[in-house]
Amino acid sequence: MRTDDTPAGVYAKHKPKRRYDKGERRHKHVGKSATAEIKFFPENPRCWIGICPSPRFLPDTVRDCLLDDAIIGENGEREIDFIKKLYNVYNGVIYEAQTSDRGFSYHGYPYRGKLASSLIRELRAVAKKKGCESEFDSWVKEHIEKHGS
């Protein structure tokens, strides 16, 4: 397993701009291993959950940096005055964070699904900068459906 190349000291001194909200009943998104994964349900193969690495391998300080450095996703056709979705890459995995309280705080998880090709290009640039482009390409191939331009 590869680790993010950003120096630990940078994360330790980081003061977050965006607030993370793990949610009271979101234990299903927290794994016990060092890697992120997508868990499918045999009784409903279309249903999936993004499982984050254990907090031991994805500490709060790293998570806060990922939120603050995230790429802003489109809000769709709705006109709203807050950022609804954020995206970032960690160890080659695409993470999505969504707000449930109008942009005050965000909850993140490994992402699977459709993404605009332009967003994938931006995220690939992030992965390249972090030195995890091959892991990113594997994640995209297995979990992401490209659409649009």
Side-chain angles (χ1 to χ4, degrees):
M1 184 197 105
R2 96 173 283 302
T3 58
D4 196 294
D5 291 332
T6 307
V10 172
Y11 289 137
K13 297 174 185 174
H14 181 77
K15 294 196 187 315
K17 295 179 267 185
R18 295 185 174 123
R19 183 173 167 265
Y20 185 80
D21 177 21
K22 71 174 186 172
E24 291 180 29
R25 295 179 299 276
R26 291 189 176 139
H27 302 289
K28 65 184 179 183
H29 291 288
V30 180
K32 294 179 172 48
S33 74
T35 58
E37 64 180 302
I38 300 295
K39 178 182 175 186
F40 292 94
F41 297 91
E43 65 276 3
N44 187 358
R46 289 186 176 183
C47 186
W48 61 272
I49 293 177
I51 307 290
C52 294
S54 159
R56 182 173 146 219
F57 298 102
L58 183 59
D60 294 352
T61 51
V62 173
R63 185 198 59 217
D64 291 342
C65 285
L66 291 172
L67 276 177
D68 287 347
D69 297 337
I71 296 170
I72 298 170
E74 292 186 21
N75 284 333
E77 295 179 16
R78 295 175 42 193
E79 287 192 31
I80 52 179
D81 61 350
F82 59 91
I83 298 167
K84 184 172 180 170
K85 293 181 182 180
L86 300 167
Y87 295 89
N88 211 332
V89 176
Y90 185 69
N91 289 341
V93 175
I94 296 174
Y95 285 83
E96 178 182 73
Q98 289 196 46
T99 185
S100 57
D101 57 5
R102 303 185 56 78
F104 179 71
S105 63
Y106 292 85
H107 174 70
Y109 46 86
Y111 182 74
R112 171 184 174 84
K114 292 182 181 181
L115 284 179
S117 296
S118 58
L119 180 56
I120 294 170
R121 282 191 298 275
E122 287 184 76
L123 291 168
R124 179 172 281 109
V126 171
K128 186 173 184 176
K129 184 178 176 183
K130 292 181 176 184
C132 59
E133 194 172 12
S134 66
E135 294 92 339
F136 174 85
D137 289 339
S138 295
W139 187 267
V140 169
K141 184 178 179 180
E142 187 172 346
H143 299 293
I144 304 299
E145 181 182 337
K146 297 176 189 178
H147 74 92
S149 54

